[in-house]
Amino acid sequence: MSEKDFIEMNYQKPSEKELIENSAKFFEQMASRRSGREFSSEPVSIDVIFNICKAAVTSPSGGNRQPFFYCIVKDKSIKHKIRLSAEKEEKLNYEKRFTSEFLSAVGKFKTNYYKPFLDEAPVLVAVFAEKYKKHEDKIEKNYFFTESTCISIGVFITAVHSVGLVTLPYTPRPIKFLNEILNISENLSPVMILPIGYPKEGLMIPNLRKKTFDELCKVF
């Protein structure tokens, strides 16, 4: 790359006081984030969904390849197809594939293979990781596509909470049915489904104990 390929970063250094105040405010905001499994059917403006996805794709990626792809699903019939396919796989998971240890670990959350939130939420966002690009007969690999997509999803979840909505990171396995339902090419690997909306009135969530900061962080 030549010098012309670089531009000066637009950065204004905050004071130490501003850094502390901003970081504390952001922590307080994110500490209140919770996942919800029951959604109101109240519609959400598509402009809000667009802005959330726009924020997600600003995330850093290996070589700036941006190997992620977001599918916004509003159509009720398509959402229902996704639900039916997910529940088909989840039924097999709960009855045959999942180990007893796993079922015991998630038992306290009272989850099962029924996934009504895939119908209830006004919007589903399916996220794909682009493994490679196809240029006619040439294949150009993307590196760190999994890591880059996971970072982007983290920004997405943060954005959903920041605007005042809720979501649920949902990862049915196998999830390849998304490619067929949404007519997505095989170079894009499905990673996650994220329903978005308002929480259903009176939504009950697990009373979880979060690990302490000292359990999760160590200074060297």
Side-chain angles (χ1 to χ4, degrees):
M1 298 180 71
S2 67
E3 290 186 3
K4 294 181 180 180
D5 294 317
F6 291 83
I7 59 174
E8 184 176 351
M9 175 184 258
N10 182 15
Y11 176 76
Q12 293 183 341
K13 183 179 178 180
S15 67
E16 184 174 0
K17 179 182 177 182
E18 289 173 322
L19 284 173
I20 293 173
E21 290 177 348
N22 292 343
S23 60
K25 183 178 179 180
F26 184 71
F27 164 69
E28 289 178 4
Q29 181 184 30
M30 294 310 299
S32 67
R33 190 211 64 79
R34 291 298 302 269
S35 298
R37 291 182 178 275
E38 295 179 79
F39 291 80
S40 164
S41 60
E42 182 179 350
V44 174
S45 169
I46 190 63
D47 290 332
V48 174
I49 304 302
F50 284 162
N51 286 334
I52 290 170
C53 291
K54 286 177 183 178
V57 299
T58 66
S59 66
S61 59
N64 193 37
R65 298 300 291 269
Q66 295 179 277
F68 28 74
F69 189 73
Y70 285 76
C71 289
I72 300 169
V73 183
K74 295 179 61 183
D75 186 281
K76 291 183 179 180
S77 64
I78 298 177
K79 287 195 299 175
H80 192 61
K81 286 181 181 178
I82 291 174
R83 177 185 176 181
L84 292 178
S85 294
E87 288 183 340
K88 179 181 178 181
E89 296 295 346
E90 293 281 45
K91 190 173 189 296
L92 289 172
N93 286 336
Y94 276 85
E95 293 180 351
K96 296 181 179 181
R97 295 170 179 156
F98 288 157
T99 64
S100 58
E101 290 82 3
F102 177 82
L103 291 174
S104 176
V106 300
K108 59 185 176 183
F109 301 117
K110 298 182 179 179
T111 59
N112 53 48
Y113 61 81
Y114 291 108
K115 306 300 175 184
F117 56 80
L118 296 174
D119 274 327
E120 293 171 350
V123 178
L124 303 180
V125 175
V127 188
F128 293 78
E130 184 185 56
K131 298 178 289 185
Y132 57 88
K133 293 182 183 292
K134 295 182 72 174
H135 300 285
E136 297 179 352
D137 295 332
K138 184 180 178 182
I139 291 179
E140 185 178 352
K141 291 183 179 180
N142 281 327
Y143 299 97
F144 305 107
F145 57 85
T146 300
E147 295 87 342
S148 298
T149 302
C150 289
I151 293 171
S152 181
I153 291 172
V155 175
F156 181 97
I157 293 171
T158 302
V160 171
H161 179 67
S162 296
V163 304
L165 299 172
V166 296
T167 187
L168 171 71
Y170 176 51
T171 54
R173 290 293 183 269
I175 194 176
K176 198 68 177 176
F177 59 81
L178 282 177
N179 290 73
E180 181 178 350
I181 294 174
L182 300 177
N183 193 27
I184 300 297
S185 60
E186 63 180 12
N187 65 311
L188 290 162
S189 179
V191 177
M192 190 176 295
I193 302 171
L194 294 125
I196 306 175
Y198 299 97
K200 184 175 287 187
E201 187 174 352
L203 171 66
M204 301 295 289
I205 57 176
N207 184 16
L208 299 177
R209 173 202 172 271
K210 294 288 188 178
K211 292 181 179 179
T212 65
F213 180 66
D214 290 338
E215 290 179 281
L216 298 170
C217 184
K218 185 174 182 178
V219 179
F220 292 88

